[in-house]
Amino acid sequence: MQQSPHERRQMEALLDFYCASGVDCFLGERPVDWFNLTSEHAAQRLQTRRPPPPPHTGLAESAPAANLQHPAGVPSQMAPAAPPVSPAFAAPQTGQNPGTGQPAVLPDREIIAAARDLAGSAATLEDLRRCLESFDGCNLKLTAKKLVFADGDPQAKLMFVGEAPGRDEDLQGKPFVGRSGQLLDRMLAAIGIARASVYIANVVPWRPPGNRTPTPQETEICKPFIKRQIELVNPDVLVFLGAASAKTLLGAQDGIRKMRGRWMTYPGNGREIAAIATYHPAYLLRSPLEKRLSWRDFVSIKEALVTNQSA
Ligand code: URA
């Protein structure tokens, strides 16, 4: 369709508005037949775009007014009447979390600060789980079935951190229980370690819809919780499964090919924790030849544990 420069500018302004409002994903869990929307459906969808009440983070204030402004020059029929809820975040029809009935929130700095305060207030892992259960600042919670907090031994010397749960994890409420998790279990068994003796968690504890990559905002909101989880477990050895978790928690810039297999340190609670990144098991399922390099990493992980134990 041919667009005039004016229409194009209007469209760009509208997209800017969506970005500023925190709408950063166009992926929904259910397909929408846009050619077959009845007026009733359309009215219901509009209903989901009413301004949400103040966010239910339990701590955060409502989103800054600036987020709610329409950009200048966007005609009213194009600009949403209220901050739109990302299709990825909004539950179909109502815009409410089917589980809790909570409305979606716009990710902003205040929510990240609230997440930090809340995570910092947790004195134990069980506290932290409760904090996450009560935290409504991350919209992924709206579409996820379960919180995927952690699995394994809270006293473990070895801790793994992945990126975000997938479908199987979301159904069971446990990290790494799907095909990648089964591969991880076999890799652990290969170095003589039982899954039950390690601790496994993810940076993001709710499944992103359709297994999409978590957005930077979602990651930032969840980061304080995984950092606190690491502090509370206080392992001797920390393993990042895939580049995403290493980048989030170490601020590393390199890609996983460069980063994997190199020992680094993670700033723990008053001490440096030995940390290493290795390929994500999901990647190994797609690229089985790379298992050779992962095997080296796992041998090195076992050595580091043994060295730590005898030190
Ligand atoms: N991939 C992850 O990063 N985490 C899981 O829990 C499962 C798959």
Side-chain angles (χ1 to χ4, degrees):
M1 191 177 64
Q2 195 66 30
Q3 265 183 348
S4 71
H6 178 64
E7 282 172 327
R8 190 183 161 79
R9 273 198 304 281
Q10 285 181 335
M11 204 43 94
E12 283 170 350
L14 182 60
L15 286 173
D16 283 346
F17 167 70
Y18 278 130
C19 287
S21 303
V23 178
D24 41 26
C25 172
F26 295 96
L27 188 68
E29 190 71 290
R30 298 189 188 168
V32 176
D33 181 356
W34 295 102
F35 295 104
N36 199 20
L37 265 194
T38 62
S39 52
E40 194 189 331
H41 279 133
Q44 278 172 340
R45 287 190 69 80
L46 264 183
Q47 196 62 35
T48 69
R49 297 181 168 198
R50 296 275 175 264
H56 284 231
T57 59
L59 292 161
E61 300 297 313
S62 53
N67 269 358
L68 309 181
Q69 304 294 313
H70 292 166
V74 177
S76 57
Q77 74 271 24
M78 287 183 68
V85 173
S86 158
F89 299 154
Q93 314 294 328
T94 63
Q96 304 268 305
N97 177 357
T100 65
Q102 301 290 2
V105 292
L106 300 176
D108 66 11
R109 279 202 210 122
E110 285 176 51
I111 294 177
I112 295 171
R116 222 176 281 135
D117 290 348
L118 190 59
S121 73
T124 64
L125 287 167
E126 267 321 299
D127 269 359
L128 190 65
R129 179 197 283 272
R130 276 192 291 274
C131 287
L132 268 168
E133 274 163 354
S134 69
F135 181 67
D136 290 323
C138 179
N139 289 322
L140 290 176
K141 187 176 179 181
L142 304 187
T143 46
K145 291 196 167 43
K146 286 200 175 145
L147 169 72
V148 178
F149 183 68
D151 191 30
D153 179 2
Q155 318 268 314
K157 300 282 174 227
L158 175 58
M159 175 168 178
F160 289 86
V161 183
E163 184 180 17
R167 183 175 174 277
D168 296 310
E169 289 75 20
D170 186 41
L171 290 172
Q172 293 189 39
K174 276 189 188 177
F176 285 96
V177 289
R179 283 185 68 223
S180 331
Q182 287 155 19
L183 176 56
L184 176 63
D185 294 354
R186 290 199 295 277
M187 291 160 76
L188 282 170
I191 53 166
I193 295 179
R195 176 188 170 109
S197 70
V198 307
Y199 189 87
I200 309 176
N202 282 304
V203 171
V204 170
W206 293 282
R207 179 198 181 198
N211 289 353
R212 66 162 169 77
T213 303
T215 64
Q217 287 93 335
E218 288 157 358
T219 302
E220 276 309 299
I221 290 169
C222 295
K223 191 157 103 177
F225 295 101
I226 184 65
K227 284 175 79 172
R228 185 71 186 135
Q229 212 168 349
I230 296 170
E231 278 176 5
L232 291 168
V233 176
N234 194 21
D236 288 340
V237 175
L238 188 55
V239 181
F240 300 108
L241 294 170
S245 58
K247 285 184 177 174
T248 303
L249 290 164
L250 290 172
Q253 300 294 325
D254 290 333
I256 189 67
R257 280 174 190 284
K258 194 150 175 214
M259 210 185 333
R260 63 140 284 280
R262 287 201 326 236
W263 283 99
M264 304 171 267
T265 53
Y266 176 86
N269 218 353
R271 69 179 185 131
E272 302 275 279
I273 299 176
I276 192 169
T278 188
Y279 288 133
H280 194 288
Y283 171 72
L284 295 176
L285 288 171
R286 295 191 301 272
S287 313
L289 280 182
E290 304 283 20
K291 284 182 188 165
R292 287 176 298 186
L293 293 174
S294 289
W295 169 244
R296 282 195 212 160
D297 298 344
F298 272 66
V299 169
S300 178
I301 290 164
K302 174 81 179 199
E303 278 167 8
L305 279 171
V306 171
T307 311
N308 246 297
Q309 256 157 21
S310 50

PDB file of all heavy atoms in Angstrom, residues 120-146:
ATOM      1  N   GLY A 120      16.015  -7.615  47.806  1.00  0.00           N
ATOM      2  CA  GLY A 120      16.988  -7.364  48.879  1.00  0.00           C
ATOM      3  C   GLY A 120      16.399  -7.654  50.249  1.00  0.00           C
ATOM      4  O   GLY A 120      17.128  -7.945  51.207  1.00  0.00           O
ATOM      5  N   SER A 121      15.070  -7.582  50.355  1.00  0.00           N
ATOM      6  CA  SER A 121      14.439  -7.790  51.666  1.00  0.00           C
ATOM      7  C   SER A 121      14.326  -9.280  52.007  1.00  0.00           C
ATOM      8  O   SER A 121      13.983  -9.624  53.133  1.00  0.00           O
ATOM      9  CB  SER A 121      13.041  -7.152  51.682  1.00  0.00           C
ATOM     10  OG  SER A 121      12.148  -7.941  50.900  1.00  0.00           O
ATOM     11  N   ALA A 122      14.569 -10.153  51.039  1.00  0.00           N
ATOM     12  CA  ALA A 122      14.393 -11.595  51.298  1.00  0.00           C
ATOM     13  C   ALA A 122      15.586 -12.149  52.062  1.00  0.00           C
ATOM     14  O   ALA A 122      16.731 -12.052  51.607  1.00  0.00           O
ATOM     15  CB  ALA A 122      14.226 -12.348  49.980  1.00  0.00           C
ATOM     16  N   ALA A 123      15.300 -12.737  53.233  1.00  0.00           N
ATOM     17  CA  ALA A 123      16.394 -13.260  54.061  1.00  0.00           C
ATOM     18  C   ALA A 123      16.703 -14.711  53.740  1.00  0.00           C
ATOM     19  O   ALA A 123      17.783 -15.211  54.043  1.00  0.00           O
ATOM     20  CB  ALA A 123      16.025 -13.114  55.534  1.00  0.00           C
ATOM     21  N   THR A 124      15.742 -15.408  53.136  1.00  0.00           N
ATOM     22  CA  THR A 124      15.951 -16.820  52.798  1.00  0.00           C
ATOM     23  C   THR A 124      15.403 -17.077  51.396  1.00  0.00           C
ATOM     24  O   THR A 124      14.670 -16.243  50.850  1.00  0.00           O
ATOM     25  CB  THR A 124      15.171 -17.749  53.763  1.00  0.00           C
ATOM     26  OG1 THR A 124      13.779 -17.486  53.576  1.00  0.00           O
ATOM     27  CG2 THR A 124      15.541 -17.519  55.214  1.00  0.00           C
ATOM     28  N   LEU A 125      15.713 -18.258  50.873  1.00  0.00           N
ATOM     29  CA  LEU A 125      15.204 -18.606  49.544  1.00  0.00           C
ATOM     30  C   LEU A 125      13.684 -18.711  49.563  1.00  0.00           C
ATOM     31  O   LEU A 125      13.018 -18.328  48.612  1.00  0.00           O
ATOM     32  CB  LEU A 125      15.831 -19.918  49.060  1.00  0.00           C
ATOM     33  CG  LEU A 125      17.302 -19.806  48.642  1.00  0.00           C
ATOM     34  CD1 LEU A 125      17.921 -21.177  48.481  1.00  0.00           C
ATOM     35  CD2 LEU A 125      17.437 -19.005  47.348  1.00  0.00           C
ATOM     36  N   GLU A 126      13.134 -19.208  50.661  1.00  0.00           N
ATOM     37  CA  GLU A 126      11.674 -19.311  50.732  1.00  0.00           C
ATOM     38  C   GLU A 126      11.037 -17.925  50.751  1.00  0.00           C
ATOM     39  O   GLU A 126      10.017 -17.677  50.107  1.00  0.00           O
ATOM     40  CB  GLU A 126      11.242 -20.130  51.956  1.00  0.00           C
ATOM     41  CG  GLU A 126      11.052 -21.602  51.645  1.00  0.00           C
ATOM     42  CD  GLU A 126      10.402 -21.885  50.269  1.00  0.00           C
ATOM     43  OE1 GLU A 126       9.258 -21.448  50.063  1.00  0.00           O
ATOM     44  OE2 GLU A 126      11.026 -22.527  49.411  1.00  0.00           O
ATOM     45  N   ASP A 127      11.685 -16.978  51.464  1.00  0.00           N
ATOM     46  CA  ASP A 127      11.230 -15.571  51.442  1.00  0.00           C
ATOM     47  C   ASP A 127      11.231 -15.054  50.021  1.00  0.00           C
ATOM     48  O   ASP A 127      10.308 -14.385  49.579  1.00  0.00           O
ATOM     49  CB  ASP A 127      12.253 -14.681  52.181  1.00  0.00           C
ATOM     50  CG  ASP A 127      11.952 -14.532  53.639  1.00  0.00           C
ATOM     51  OD1 ASP A 127      10.952 -15.100  54.086  1.00  0.00           O
ATOM     52  OD2 ASP A 127      12.751 -13.844  54.311  1.00  0.00           O
ATOM     53  N   LEU A 128      12.333 -15.355  49.333  1.00  0.00           N
ATOM     54  CA  LEU A 128      12.499 -14.838  47.977  1.00  0.00           C
ATOM     55  C   LEU A 128      11.423 -15.406  47.050  1.00  0.00           C
ATOM     56  O   LEU A 128      10.849 -14.696  46.230  1.00  0.00           O
ATOM     57  CB  LEU A 128      13.898 -15.194  47.450  1.00  0.00           C
ATOM     58  CG  LEU A 128      14.290 -14.517  46.147  1.00  0.00           C
ATOM     59  CD1 LEU A 128      14.403 -13.004  46.306  1.00  0.00           C
ATOM     60  CD2 LEU A 128      15.617 -15.064  45.619  1.00  0.00           C
ATOM     61  N   ARG A 129      11.135 -16.679  47.223  1.00  0.00           N
ATOM     62  CA  ARG A 129      10.061 -17.283  46.411  1.00  0.00           C
ATOM     63  C   ARG A 129       8.728 -16.561  46.691  1.00  0.00           C
ATOM     64  O   ARG A 129       7.994 -16.209  45.784  1.00  0.00           O
ATOM     65  CB  ARG A 129       9.922 -18.775  46.728  1.00  0.00           C
ATOM     66  CG  ARG A 129       8.812 -19.442  45.930  1.00  0.00           C
ATOM     67  CD  ARG A 129       8.416 -20.751  46.540  1.00  0.00           C
ATOM     68  NE  ARG A 129       9.359 -21.815  46.252  1.00  0.00           N
ATOM     69  CZ  ARG A 129       9.300 -22.596  45.174  1.00  0.00           C
ATOM     70  NH1 ARG A 129       8.345 -22.413  44.293  1.00  0.00           N
ATOM     71  NH2 ARG A 129      10.190 -23.533  44.993  1.00  0.00           N
ATOM     72  N   ARG A 130       8.477 -16.310  47.979  1.00  0.00           N
ATOM     73  CA  ARG A 130       7.225 -15.614  48.334  1.00  0.00           C
ATOM     74  C   ARG A 130       7.199 -14.213  47.735  1.00  0.00           C
ATOM     75  O   ARG A 130       6.187 -13.744  47.236  1.00  0.00           O
ATOM     76  CB  ARG A 130       7.057 -15.552  49.856  1.00  0.00           C
ATOM     77  CG  ARG A 130       6.437 -16.826  50.436  1.00  0.00           C
ATOM     78  CD  ARG A 130       6.010 -16.611  51.879  1.00  0.00           C
ATOM     79  NE  ARG A 130       7.167 -16.450  52.754  1.00  0.00           N
ATOM     80  CZ  ARG A 130       7.830 -17.453  53.321  1.00  0.00           C
ATOM     81  NH1 ARG A 130       7.430 -18.688  53.121  1.00  0.00           N
ATOM     82  NH2 ARG A 130       8.882 -17.227  54.089  1.00  0.00           N
ATOM     83  N   CYS A 131       8.368 -13.531  47.780  1.00  0.00           N
ATOM     84  CA  CYS A 131       8.443 -12.178  47.199  1.00  0.00           C
ATOM     85  C   CYS A 131       8.077 -12.225  45.719  1.00  0.00           C
ATOM     86  O   CYS A 131       7.314 -11.397  45.227  1.00  0.00           O
ATOM     87  CB  CYS A 131       9.862 -11.611  47.314  1.00  0.00           C
ATOM     88  SG  CYS A 131      10.305 -11.127  48.969  1.00  0.00           S
ATOM     89  N   LEU A 132       8.635 -13.216  45.020  1.00  0.00           N
ATOM     90  CA  LEU A 132       8.352 -13.320  43.581  1.00  0.00           C
ATOM     91  C   LEU A 132       6.886 -13.650  43.341  1.00  0.00           C
ATOM     92  O   LEU A 132       6.268 -13.146  42.404  1.00  0.00           O
ATOM     93  CB  LEU A 132       9.234 -14.387  42.949  1.00  0.00           C
ATOM     94  CG  LEU A 132      10.550 -13.879  42.373  1.00  0.00           C
ATOM     95  CD1 LEU A 132      11.477 -15.027  42.045  1.00  0.00           C
ATOM     96  CD2 LEU A 132      10.323 -13.030  41.135  1.00  0.00           C
ATOM     97  N   GLU A 133       6.346 -14.493  44.209  1.00  0.00           N
ATOM     98  CA  GLU A 133       4.933 -14.857  44.035  1.00  0.00           C
ATOM     99  C   GLU A 133       4.026 -13.636  44.204  1.00  0.00           C
ATOM    100  O   GLU A 133       3.004 -13.519  43.546  1.00  0.00           O
ATOM    101  CB  GLU A 133       4.539 -15.953  45.026  1.00  0.00           C
ATOM    102  CG  GLU A 133       4.868 -17.332  44.461  1.00  0.00           C
ATOM    103  CD  GLU A 133       4.899 -18.418  45.521  1.00  0.00           C
ATOM    104  OE1 GLU A 133       4.775 -18.109  46.721  1.00  0.00           O
ATOM    105  OE2 GLU A 133       5.068 -19.576  45.135  1.00  0.00           O
ATOM    106  N   SER A 134       4.457 -12.707  45.071  1.00  0.00           N
ATOM    107  CA  SER A 134       3.593 -11.542  45.314  1.00  0.00           C
ATOM    108  C   SER A 134       3.924 -10.385  44.380  1.00  0.00           C
ATOM    109  O   SER A 134       3.221  -9.384  44.351  1.00  0.00           O
ATOM    110  CB  SER A 134       3.753 -11.071  46.764  1.00  0.00           C
ATOM    111  OG  SER A 134       5.050 -10.521  46.920  1.00  0.00           O
ATOM    112  N   PHE A 135       4.991 -10.503  43.617  1.00  0.00           N
ATOM    113  CA  PHE A 135       5.453  -9.397  42.776  1.00  0.00           C
ATOM    114  C   PHE A 135       4.680  -9.378  41.455  1.00  0.00           C
ATOM    115  O   PHE A 135       4.682 -10.366  40.717  1.00  0.00           O
ATOM    116  CB  PHE A 135       6.953  -9.585  42.513  1.00  0.00           C
ATOM    117  CG  PHE A 135       7.569  -8.509  41.677  1.00  0.00           C
ATOM    118  CD1 PHE A 135       7.684  -7.208  42.144  1.00  0.00           C
ATOM    119  CD2 PHE A 135       8.068  -8.795  40.408  1.00  0.00           C
ATOM    120  CE1 PHE A 135       8.264  -6.223  41.376  1.00  0.00           C
ATOM    121  CE2 PHE A 135       8.649  -7.816  39.630  1.00  0.00           C
ATOM    122  CZ  PHE A 135       8.753  -6.525  40.119  1.00  0.00           C
ATOM    123  N   ASP A 136       4.049  -8.248  41.177  1.00  0.00           N
ATOM    124  CA  ASP A 136       3.270  -8.154  39.935  1.00  0.00           C
ATOM    125  C   ASP A 136       3.894  -7.151  38.965  1.00  0.00           C
ATOM    126  O   ASP A 136       3.208  -6.601  38.104  1.00  0.00           O
ATOM    127  CB  ASP A 136       1.821  -7.754  40.247  1.00  0.00           C
ATOM    128  CG  ASP A 136       1.084  -8.884  40.939  1.00  0.00           C
ATOM    129  OD1 ASP A 136       1.323 -10.050  40.594  1.00  0.00           O
ATOM    130  OD2 ASP A 136       0.299  -8.603  41.860  1.00  0.00           O
ATOM    131  N   GLY A 137       5.176  -6.889  39.130  1.00  0.00           N
ATOM    132  CA  GLY A 137       5.824  -5.882  38.281  1.00  0.00           C
ATOM    133  C   GLY A 137       6.307  -6.400  36.944  1.00  0.00           C
ATOM    134  O   GLY A 137       6.747  -5.615  36.110  1.00  0.00           O
ATOM    135  N   CYS A 138       6.259  -7.710  36.738  1.00  0.00           N
ATOM    136  CA  CYS A 138       6.731  -8.242  35.457  1.00  0.00           C
ATOM    137  C   CYS A 138       5.537  -8.857  34.724  1.00  0.00           C
ATOM    138  O   CYS A 138       4.909  -9.786  35.220  1.00  0.00           O
ATOM    139  CB  CYS A 138       7.822  -9.293  35.676  1.00  0.00           C
ATOM    140  SG  CYS A 138       8.384  -9.981  34.104  1.00  0.00           S
ATOM    141  N   ASN A 139       5.274  -8.315  33.549  1.00  0.00           N
ATOM    142  CA  ASN A 139       4.075  -8.743  32.816  1.00  0.00           C
ATOM    143  C   ASN A 139       4.130 -10.185  32.336  1.00  0.00           C
ATOM    144  O   ASN A 139       3.100 -10.739  31.955  1.00  0.00           O
ATOM    145  CB  ASN A 139       3.839  -7.812  31.634  1.00  0.00           C
ATOM    146  CG  ASN A 139       3.379  -6.449  32.106  1.00  0.00           C
ATOM    147  OD1 ASN A 139       2.620  -6.360  33.056  1.00  0.00           O
ATOM    148  ND2 ASN A 139       3.860  -5.410  31.470  1.00  0.00           N
ATOM    149  N   LEU A 140       5.298 -10.785  32.355  1.00  0.00           N
ATOM    150  CA  LEU A 140       5.369 -12.196  31.939  1.00  0.00           C
ATOM    151  C   LEU A 140       4.510 -13.066  32.858  1.00  0.00           C
ATOM    152  O   LEU A 140       4.032 -14.121  32.463  1.00  0.00           O
ATOM    153  CB  LEU A 140       6.816 -12.689  31.958  1.00  0.00           C
ATOM    154  CG  LEU A 140       7.718 -12.096  30.887  1.00  0.00           C
ATOM    155  CD1 LEU A 140       9.143 -12.569  31.069  1.00  0.00           C
ATOM    156  CD2 LEU A 140       7.204 -12.464  29.499  1.00  0.00           C
ATOM    157  N   LYS A 141       4.344 -12.588  34.075  1.00  0.00           N
ATOM    158  CA  LYS A 141       3.526 -13.337  35.032  1.00  0.00           C
ATOM    159  C   LYS A 141       2.077 -13.469  34.531  1.00  0.00           C
ATOM    160  O   LYS A 141       1.374 -14.416  34.886  1.00  0.00           O
ATOM    161  CB  LYS A 141       3.569 -12.595  36.374  1.00  0.00           C
ATOM    162  CG  LYS A 141       2.924 -13.324  37.512  1.00  0.00           C
ATOM    163  CD  LYS A 141       3.126 -12.532  38.785  1.00  0.00           C
ATOM    164  CE  LYS A 141       2.485 -13.195  39.973  1.00  0.00           C
ATOM    165  NZ  LYS A 141       2.673 -12.415  41.193  1.00  0.00           N
ATOM    166  N   LEU A 142       1.660 -12.509  33.726  1.00  0.00           N
ATOM    167  CA  LEU A 142       0.271 -12.523  33.255  1.00  0.00           C
ATOM    168  C   LEU A 142      -0.007 -13.688  32.325  1.00  0.00           C
ATOM    169  O   LEU A 142      -1.135 -14.176  32.256  1.00  0.00           O
ATOM    170  CB  LEU A 142      -0.049 -11.226  32.505  1.00  0.00           C
ATOM    171  CG  LEU A 142       0.170  -9.909  33.235  1.00  0.00           C
ATOM    172  CD1 LEU A 142      -0.361  -8.762  32.410  1.00  0.00           C
ATOM    173  CD2 LEU A 142      -0.499  -9.928  34.590  1.00  0.00           C
ATOM    174  N   THR A 143       1.000 -14.075  31.570  1.00  0.00           N
ATOM    175  CA  THR A 143       0.754 -15.127  30.577  1.00  0.00           C
ATOM    176  C   THR A 143       1.317 -16.481  31.016  1.00  0.00           C
ATOM    177  O   THR A 143       0.955 -17.502  30.447  1.00  0.00           O
ATOM    178  CB  THR A 143       1.368 -14.729  29.218  1.00  0.00           C
ATOM    179  OG1 THR A 143       2.689 -14.249  29.435  1.00  0.00           O
ATOM    180  CG2 THR A 143       0.534 -13.672  28.531  1.00  0.00           C
ATOM    181  N   ALA A 144       2.210 -16.464  32.006  1.00  0.00           N
ATOM    182  CA  ALA A 144       2.807 -17.731  32.460  1.00  0.00           C
ATOM    183  C   ALA A 144       1.789 -18.505  33.301  1.00  0.00           C
ATOM    184  O   ALA A 144       0.919 -17.910  33.941  1.00  0.00           O
ATOM    185  CB  ALA A 144       4.050 -17.448  33.279  1.00  0.00           C
ATOM    186  N   LYS A 145       1.928 -19.816  33.276  1.00  0.00           N
ATOM    187  CA  LYS A 145       1.032 -20.637  34.099  1.00  0.00           C
ATOM    188  C   LYS A 145       1.551 -20.712  35.521  1.00  0.00           C
ATOM    189  O   LYS A 145       0.795 -20.690  36.473  1.00  0.00           O
ATOM    190  CB  LYS A 145       0.932 -22.047  33.519  1.00  0.00           C
ATOM    191  CG  LYS A 145       0.193 -22.067  32.193  1.00  0.00           C
ATOM    192  CD  LYS A 145      -0.242 -23.478  31.835  1.00  0.00           C
ATOM    193  CE  LYS A 145      -1.243 -23.504  30.704  1.00  0.00           C
ATOM    194  NZ  LYS A 145      -0.957 -22.599  29.587  1.00  0.00           N
ATOM    195  N   LYS A 146       2.882 -20.836  35.649  1.00  0.00           N
ATOM    196  CA  LYS A 146       3.463 -21.015  36.988  1.00  0.00           C
ATOM    197  C   LYS A 146       4.733 -20.190  37.136  1.00  0.00           C
ATOM    198  O   LYS A 146       5.427 -19.934  36.143  1.00  0.00           O
ATOM    199  CB  LYS A 146       3.848 -22.483  37.194  1.00  0.00           C
ATOM    200  CG  LYS A 146       2.669 -23.379  37.405  1.00  0.00           C
ATOM    201  CD  LYS A 146       3.090 -24.678  38.077  1.00  0.00           C
ATOM    202  CE  LYS A 146       1.854 -25.497  38.375  1.00  0.00           C
ATOM    203  NZ  LYS A 146       2.059 -26.909  38.231  1.00  0.00           N
TER     204      LYS A 146
END
